[in-house]
Amino acid sequence: MKLLAIESSCDETSAAVMVDGVLKSNIISTQLIHTEWGGVVPELASRAHQKSIIPVVTEALQKANINKNELNAIAFTRGPGLLGALLIGTSFAKSLALSLNIPLIEVNHMQAHVLAHFIEDPKPTFPFLCLTVSGGHTQLVWVKSALDMEVIGETQDDAVGEAFDKTAKLIGLPYPGGPLIDKLAKEGNPDRFPFSLGEMPGLNFSFSGIKTAILYFLQKEVKNNPNFIEENKADICASVQKSLIDMLLRKTKKAMKEMNCTQIAIAGGVSANSGLRSRLTEMGSELGWEVFIPAFSYCTDNAGMIAMAGHFKAEAGEFCRQDVSPLARYELAAKPLA
């Protein structure tokens, strides 16, 4: 099975080639134009995808030493994501598959983030729990098999990645701010400024309250000292990061106990955060968990994870028709615990 995969859900245009479950190439073109606007602009993202998709696909095929006529199927991100961006990848995949007379495989972007763990060793065994954290999602996913996943807890408002980015904006860091907070946090005191974490029922999350608390805190301190942020930037970053990670790990620990599970994985863009990675590893060591953390290249949006999901779906014979359309909202099967 020689599979081409395409990812275009947000601001990365990516293509990958997988042969019999082995990733041969994974090309990612990141759109830098959004930096000057302080966030992703959907229309600009769509235009950038249009410019990049052919060169990116061409490079992925060349690096894998595969001719397009050798392909057996094309996998693509159907959703969730920005509709205009998804439309570029979906339309390209449909057109190429039609011209080559090969089948299509539609992939849920969030399912693919979880399955990124199966690209390289070590790999978890089913079932396991996955904490999926990104700019748009915060979910606890019970992974029964590659194609059977259940969301048992999720954010009821903002995602944790958004909380990182909004905090970065408040303290004057450029977009994307999450990685910059992580970098500065290493130099700061995480216990300097405590924030109230709040509580949600069950295994659900809420990050809107802590975002507001951070805003009011900064406004109060800046009123007393206009140079407060610049003088305390590292400590602010460390304190915010600690609070957000506390919120994630508190629910993760509860979910692991409820599911009687000993395997925990993290996925999504925020799984690249060094604070989260180290603290989850520490917690796993203390509680006897097996902890699975993806390589940095598979944390952010990439076509390699789409290829991995496509591989599992191809093995199961799950192909889609040419009349498939992208979905801005595309939920995993959700049945929250009582």
Side-chain angles (χ1 to χ4, degrees):
M1 167 64 74
K2 296 177 180 178
L3 177 72
L4 172 68
I6 295 169
E7 155 62 20
S8 69
S9 64
C10 191
D11 60 339
E12 273 93 17
T13 310
S14 183
V17 174
M18 180 168 279
V19 179
D20 294 332
V22 178
L23 193 62
K24 297 297 185 180
S25 65
N26 188 25
I27 307 301
I28 304 170
S29 175
T30 301
Q31 301 171 4
L32 301 178
I33 191 171
H34 305 288
T35 302
E36 62 183 286
W37 300 102
V40 178
V41 181
E43 177 62 26
L44 295 180
S46 300
R47 294 179 185 180
H49 283 305
Q50 285 182 309
K51 293 179 180 179
S52 300
I53 193 163
I54 291 178
V56 166
V57 168
T58 300
E59 186 177 351
L61 290 169
Q62 289 175 344
K63 186 173 182 179
N65 196 28
I66 297 289
N67 185 285
K68 67 179 185 295
N69 295 311
E70 299 178 68
L71 295 172
N72 302 115
I74 298 177
F76 65 97
T77 302
R78 186 182 183 189
L82 302 175
L83 191 57
L86 291 166
L87 189 60
I88 304 301
T90 302
S91 299
F92 185 91
K94 289 167 66 174
S95 300
L96 185 56
L98 187 63
S99 69
L100 297 174
N101 194 29
I102 57 177
L104 282 166
I105 305 170
E106 56 95 9
V107 171
N108 183 303
H109 181 84
M110 301 312 297
Q111 182 184 42
H113 268 305
V114 176
L115 295 178
H117 285 279
F118 293 88
I119 297 175
E120 295 178 349
D121 291 326
K123 303 169 184 175
T125 56
F126 302 111
F128 64 93
L129 185 72
C130 187
L131 173 64
T132 308
V133 280
S134 68
H137 293 81
T138 303
Q139 296 178 330
L140 285 165
V141 183
W142 182 238
V143 188
K144 305 171 192 176
S145 72
L147 303 180
D148 186 4
M149 302 181 187
E150 179 182 347
V151 178
I152 60 173
E154 61 186 332
T155 181
Q156 300 301 290
D157 39 58
D158 305 322
V160 67
E162 184 181 354
F164 272 109
D165 286 337
K166 290 294 176 62
T167 299
K169 193 170 185 178
L170 289 173
I171 61 177
L173 297 177
Y175 175 87
L180 297 176
I181 286 183
D182 188 19
K183 182 179 179 179
L184 285 168
K186 296 174 183 177
E187 306 168 8
N189 177 4
D191 298 312
R192 175 87 183 281
F193 305 116
F195 295 99
S196 176
L197 304 185
E199 183 57 62
M200 287 292 289
L203 298 175
N204 290 324
F205 303 86
S206 171
F207 295 97
S208 62
I210 192 168
K211 279 173 52 183
T212 303
I214 293 167
L215 171 64
Y216 289 166
F217 165 76
L218 292 175
Q219 287 177 339
K220 177 183 176 182
E221 296 297 334
V222 169
K223 187 176 181 180
N224 296 327
N225 175 11
N227 298 317
F228 174 80
I229 291 177
E230 198 58 40
E231 293 172 358
N232 300 278
K233 192 169 287 186
D235 287 348
I236 294 169
C237 289
S239 299
V240 168
Q241 179 161 291
K242 178 182 184 294
S243 297
L244 293 174
I245 293 173
D246 282 346
M247 295 172 74
L248 293 173
L249 295 186
R250 184 172 61 183
K251 292 292 186 176
T252 299
K253 183 178 180 180
K254 184 176 181 180
M256 291 288 282
K257 184 177 180 180
E258 289 192 18
M259 303 307 292
N260 192 27
C261 180
T262 58
Q263 291 186 106
I264 177 66
I266 54 173
V270 180
S271 66
N273 181 278
S274 64
L276 176 59
R277 293 163 84 96
S278 62
R279 287 192 53 195
L280 182 63
T281 300
E282 290 171 7
M283 179 177 281
S285 179
E286 292 171 4
L287 299 175
W289 300 344
E290 283 188 88
V291 178
F292 297 90
I293 299 175
F296 284 107
S297 57
Y298 305 132
C299 291
T300 55
D301 295 347
N302 69 94
M305 67 183 194
I306 305 302
M308 194 74 254
H311 170 76
F312 282 116
K313 297 191 81 169
E315 283 190 328
E318 293 190 13
F319 300 99
C320 65
R321 302 183 344 175
Q322 272 283 337
D323 60 359
V324 65
S325 58
L327 298 172
R329 295 187 178 184
Y330 188 9
E331 301 295 334
L332 288 171
K335 186 180 179 183
L337 293 178

